[in-house]
Amino acid sequence: MLTTRTARTAAALVAVVALAAGCSGSGGKESEDDGGGGGGGQAVDTPRLKIAMVTHSGEGDTFWDIVRSGAKAAAEKDNVTFLYSNDKEAQGQAQLVQAAIDKKVDGIVVTLAKPQAMESVLAKAKAAGIPVVSINSGSEYAEKFGALAHIGQEESVAGEAVGTELTEQGRKKTLCVIHEQGNVSLEQRCDGVKKTFKGTVENLNVDGTNAPDSQAAIEAKLQADPSIDAVVALGAPVAALTVKAKEGAGSKAEIATFDLNAEVVRRLKAKEVSFAVDQQPYLQGYEAVDLLWLHKYNANVLGGGKPVLTGPALVTEKDVPKLEKYTARGTR
């Protein structure tokens, strides 16, 4: 765990759920067979499996590149053929899960950002005897939908940590930027901020796949309301847009963000971003694939019916020396 200004808060939050053992230009690529390549080392001597990952990623989100990097490393180690596909639209994602079922894969990793669209197709996966692990979003739906485990962070808890930190900084009015309308996890993050922040929180919906429009919308809001003294971006690419929007608006608002990438770490170092919430996406991808392999090989499960937490941890410019080499190689 990284040392942060909110260490005591993070420690308390992690205690909420026990561990059982334990949103780039390429972020929304077309469906492809990644073949298990990813630098994870020599494969195990077990029968080759086929595991599909289907996410709600849109174009331009580096977060999913990091998730895939972890999944591919585990796939190589576990002698797994890894299939990745994504669709930001709920129905499209459900259709991709059905396609994976039709391919008779040995396991499916799925996100539950828009859970209602996924319930029936995951029931079909269960009926077909295909184990499912959910990651990143929709943890409260995982058990109901028959997933072996959910791997990620509790989004509302992470939002609460952000609200607490902003209050300690003395902020009075926060803008929470939702870059994918209808994504329950993003809404939970903003709700969590509202729960613990002692000032006012206002949500702003933007289209995260349209960077110019998103930046313009944030800039216009900051220009129209100079009392906004903090902006919370809910994904690393939006953080970069927010920095530019702040400059354009002549705002003095503090910027915080969820998720890391190399650019966020550079902006932490430059003190353009105050802090970031790290949920370790590489670990989410890696552990999901590894768990499906372990379940097939050894009937293992994780979590005991509770989410397996990979975050939150709040990181600042003080953590940059520990993170730079990892974000540069795309694993944090």
Side-chain angles (χ1 to χ4, degrees):
M1 176 69 71
L2 293 170
T3 301
T4 76
R5 288 178 291 169
T6 57
R8 65 183 185 278
T9 302
L13 301 180
V14 169
V16 174
V17 180
L19 288 178
C23 284
S24 90
S26 60
K29 295 176 181 174
E30 295 299 318
S31 175
E32 64 183 61
D33 180 350
D34 281 320
Q42 186 174 355
V44 294
D45 185 21
T46 56
R48 192 158 182 84
L49 303 179
K50 186 181 293 185
I51 293 175
M53 176 182 285
V54 184
T55 77
H56 64 279
S57 171
E59 295 294 335
D61 195 337
T62 53
F63 182 91
W64 297 104
D65 295 331
I66 302 170
V67 172
R68 288 176 66 189
S69 182
K72 290 166 68 176
E76 181 175 327
K77 176 182 71 71
D78 294 338
N79 194 25
V80 165
T81 297
F82 175 64
L83 309 175
Y84 178 84
S85 58
N86 64 284
D87 196 310
K88 68 176 183 177
E89 301 298 335
Q91 195 55 45
Q93 187 188 8
Q95 290 170 355
L96 291 172
V97 173
Q98 182 61 59
I101 295 170
D102 294 342
K103 291 177 181 176
K104 295 181 170 47
V105 298
D106 298 290
I108 297 174
V109 182
V110 70
T111 59
L112 302 175
K114 297 169 183 174
Q116 286 72 24
M118 305 302 294
E119 184 171 10
S120 62
V121 75
L122 292 184
K124 293 178 182 178
K126 183 177 181 179
I130 300 174
V132 172
V133 170
S134 62
I135 62 169
N136 176 255
S137 51
S139 62
E140 65 270 37
Y141 298 95
E143 185 174 14
K144 176 183 177 183
F145 291 179
L148 292 176
H150 179 85
I151 299 171
Q153 70 180 3
E154 289 283 10
E155 302 292 7
S156 59
V157 171
E160 290 171 23
V162 171
T164 298
E165 178 66 18
L166 292 174
T167 297
E168 291 181 358
Q169 289 183 3
R171 303 297 157 184
K172 303 299 182 184
K173 187 168 185 178
T174 295
L175 184 68
C176 195
V177 183
I178 299 176
H179 59 269
E180 184 184 349
Q181 195 164 3
N183 184 326
V184 294
S185 293
L186 301 185
E187 293 167 355
Q188 288 169 347
R189 291 176 181 181
C190 290
D191 289 344
V193 175
K194 291 177 182 177
K195 185 174 181 179
T196 58
F197 183 57
K198 300 305 182 183
T200 302
V201 179
E202 183 177 348
N203 292 355
L204 176 67
N205 285 286
V206 301
D207 180 0
T209 63
N210 189 326
D213 282 1
S214 295
Q215 181 178 327
I218 299 167
E219 183 174 332
K221 187 64 180 177
L222 293 175
Q223 285 177 331
D225 189 353
S227 68
I228 295 172
D229 58 4
V231 181
V232 178
L234 301 185
V238 180
L241 299 177
T242 303
V243 171
K244 296 174 184 177
K246 173 184 172 179
E247 294 171 353
S251 170
K252 295 182 180 179
E254 198 79 22
I255 298 172
T257 188
F258 281 75
D259 304 332
L260 289 176
N261 63 12
E263 185 169 6
V264 166
V265 168
R266 287 195 297 270
R267 294 188 184 278
L268 284 169
K269 189 175 185 178
K271 299 184 179 181
E272 295 173 332
V273 172
S274 175
F275 64 92
V277 181
D278 182 22
Q279 63 171 305
Q280 303 186 100
Y282 183 92
L283 192 59
Q284 291 178 15
Y286 189 100
E287 291 298 332
V289 170
D290 205 38
L291 175 54
L292 286 168
W293 176 81
L294 282 165
H295 183 70
K296 183 75 172 182
Y297 173 72
N298 203 44
N300 290 120
V301 294
L302 283 176
K306 301 293 185 180
V308 179
L309 297 181
T310 63
L314 302 192
V315 299
T316 71
E317 75 279 356
K318 295 178 182 178
D319 300 300
V320 167
K322 301 176 185 178
L323 295 171
E324 282 182 302
K325 66 179 180 180
Y326 303 124
T327 54
R329 76 184 186 189
T331 58
R332 288 295 291 272

